[in-house]
Amino acid sequence: MDRVERFTNHQSVSSQYELLDEMMDCYGQAIQQLVYTYVKDYATAEDLTQEIFIKAFKKLHTFRHQASVKTWLFRIAMNHFKDYLKSWHYRQIVLDNDFVHNTIANEVQIEQRFMQQSEEKRLANAVLKLPLAYREVVYLYYYEEWTTREISQMTQKNENTIKKRLNRARKLIKNLLSQEESE
Amino acid sequence: MNDPLMNVKHAFDKTVFERVQFTENQKKKTLIQVDPLKQKKIEIMILQTLYDSTKTGFAILNDLKKRIGKEDFQNNEGSVYILLHQLESKRYIQSQWEDNKGAKIKYYHIENKGRKRLVEIENEEGNKTSFRLDWEGGLRG
């Protein structure tokens, strides 16, 4: 991490290029995982991750040392995902898929599939089923282990909003998991 | 009250994330797309290969593969088409759809502006220092 941060002091193109290389070594995996929790599709997550690092490269001059490289990259990733949601591709293809997934018949199917799954799989799937705003906060808090304060800075939302979302997410998950048990 | 989300990290690592893998190959593809020296080299080569003949995108790509090495373009052919598009929008090259036994094929040819550009960068490249400075200045601006 320090290595990467030291690098940002260099301005020449070749050292920026090396910096990108370093950033991908350190955070490529973390970014791709985050993006996966957004898009829930392996191939799309790969494409978006590459685009995010290219964006980061072009924005290197905006990096300020108040934030860690990781926080900075996560913010770029979140913004890039928002742009992706607005894109033509997403509207044409993914929304159609979502629509299909949201029909009741499908919900039942998914829940039935949960029955035979391990506890880990049930929990992961339940989290992935949360609406985006809750899923994101849950991921940043429980997986990346950021504090509610850090998450509030990163997402530029009030810390109380973050706490409320976490509470609500816990309730939603409890319901989801107990529904399956009672079936 | 126990927290139902306590094991999220473990649950993700054990399941969905087993297939999420940021690979060396992805890293390479990303690096190629931001390497200004390499992009410039490819730009020169495209202009050179079109200097005295009209070619399809596929033929251009094959020519580049021969000269630079296949691995740079493996699964990354798209980046060449992006570059072709950029050169076209700068009016260095032009493209035209032609009929080939019922199938439409796009052919590229060089424009005068592209020929001038090629001479210009070949001269620049003769003088390595100014070539680099030009790029670094260009990127910052």
Side-chain angles (χ1 to χ4, degrees):
Chain A
M1 229 174 287
D2 277 345
R3 219 159 24 138
V4 171
E5 269 150 36
R6 246 198 343 266
F7 259 125
T8 52
N9 294 324
H10 299 271
Q11 289 298 312
S12 79
V13 175
S14 54
S15 56
Q16 285 184 350
Y17 184 76
E18 276 171 50
L19 173 62
L20 179 68
D21 196 341
E22 291 270 337
M23 285 197 303
M24 287 193 285
D25 280 341
C26 296
Y27 307 114
Q29 183 66 22
I31 295 290
Q32 194 149 309
Q33 287 177 345
L34 171 77
V35 176
Y36 179 82
T37 67
Y38 286 147
V39 297
K40 301 188 254 183
D41 177 84
Y42 292 106
T44 312
E46 282 180 18
D47 288 347
L48 290 182
T49 303
Q50 284 163 224
E51 289 165 20
I52 286 161
F53 279 107
I54 290 172
K55 220 177 217 183
F57 179 83
K58 290 180 181 155
K59 282 172 166 266
L60 267 180
H61 62 281
T62 69
F63 177 76
R64 299 285 176 271
H65 287 270
Q66 291 118 326
S68 75
V69 172
K70 188 175 180 182
T71 313
W72 180 73
L73 276 173
F74 265 58
R75 210 177 286 152
I76 292 176
M78 288 169 182
N79 286 330
H80 190 71
F81 172 66
K82 278 179 207 145
D83 291 343
Y84 167 73
L85 288 184
K86 287 182 225 148
S87 72
W88 179 88
H89 173 85
Y90 174 77
R91 286 173 185 215
Q92 293 303 308
I93 295 155
V94 185
L95 278 186
D96 287 351
N97 277 343
D98 258 13
F99 180 72
V100 176
H101 283 306
N102 281 335
T103 58
I104 295 159
N106 245 297
E107 298 272 299
V108 173
Q109 265 185 7
I110 290 170
E111 270 154 33
Q112 278 171 350
R113 241 183 290 144
F114 274 170
M115 303 290 288
Q116 295 114 24
Q117 286 165 352
S118 68
E119 207 151 305
E120 283 110 4
K121 195 140 197 179
R122 284 173 55 212
L123 179 57
N125 279 337
V127 171
L128 288 176
K129 274 179 81 181
L130 289 174
L132 184 61
Y134 300 111
R135 205 190 319 147
E136 181 180 62
V137 176
V138 164
Y139 186 75
L140 296 175
Y141 186 81
Y142 287 96
Y143 193 94
E144 286 293 345
E145 294 171 343
W146 266 313
T147 63
T148 48
R149 197 202 160 104
E150 286 165 328
I151 297 170
S152 107
Q153 282 163 356
M154 196 179 326
T155 55
Q156 278 153 357
K157 295 223 163 58
N158 194 296
E159 193 179 348
N160 275 327
T161 310
I162 304 296
K163 285 180 181 165
K164 271 181 213 154
R165 284 186 185 173
L166 280 173
N167 268 327
R168 177 99 183 99
R170 284 184 204 109
K171 278 181 197 139
L172 286 170
I173 288 285
K174 267 201 170 146
N175 281 342
L176 266 172
L177 293 176
S178 66
Q179 262 172 34
E180 291 158 27
E181 271 161 27
S182 64
E183 266 167 30
Chain B
M1 184 176 120
N2 63 345
D3 185 343
L5 287 166
M6 215 155 72
N7 293 322
V8 161
K9 195 176 168 102
H10 173 74
F12 268 89
D13 283 337
K14 282 275 164 201
T15 59
V16 278
F17 281 172
E18 281 191 334
R19 278 180 58 199
V20 178
Q21 205 69 253
F22 184 74
T23 61
E24 274 300 304
N25 192 28
Q26 278 178 274
K27 210 178 103 173
K28 259 198 222 156
K29 277 197 226 170
T30 311
L31 285 171
I32 287 173
Q33 285 183 63
V34 300
D35 186 342
L37 294 176
K38 192 161 260 169
Q39 290 293 315
K40 185 139 180 168
K41 216 166 103 188
I42 296 173
E43 180 183 339
I44 297 173
M45 285 185 179
I46 291 175
L47 294 175
Q48 282 170 343
T49 186
L50 290 175
Y51 199 81
D52 41 29
S53 62
T54 297
K55 283 182 175 153
T56 63
F58 184 74
I60 294 170
L61 189 67
N62 275 342
D63 200 58
L64 292 176
K65 277 181 183 167
K66 255 182 243 157
R67 294 169 69 183
I68 300 185
K70 273 197 181 105
E71 65 278 5
D72 278 357
F73 298 108
Q74 213 80 51
N75 305 317
N76 200 23
E77 279 92 349
S79 67
V80 173
Y81 286 94
I82 294 171
L83 200 54
L84 282 173
H85 190 79
Q86 285 169 356
L87 294 179
E88 202 177 343
S89 66
K90 287 181 195 159
R91 306 209 176 282
Y92 294 155
I93 62 174
Q94 274 272 324
S95 68
Q96 222 166 350
W97 290 99
E98 278 173 37
D99 226 35
N100 189 322
K101 291 171 196 156
K104 290 256 184 215
I105 294 180
K106 199 176 192 181
Y107 284 92
Y108 293 89
H109 67 263
I110 195 165
E111 293 283 289
N112 275 338
K113 204 177 164 196
R115 290 207 171 86
K116 269 188 211 152
R117 171 72 181 156
L118 182 61
V119 173
E120 204 179 285
I121 36 186
E122 278 174 344
N123 286 340
E124 268 174 35
E125 215 194 358
N127 184 346
K128 274 273 188 298
T129 10
S130 74
F131 175 55
R132 288 192 67 97
L133 280 177
D134 177 43
W135 259 102
E136 300 193 357
L139 265 196
R140 253 186 243 119

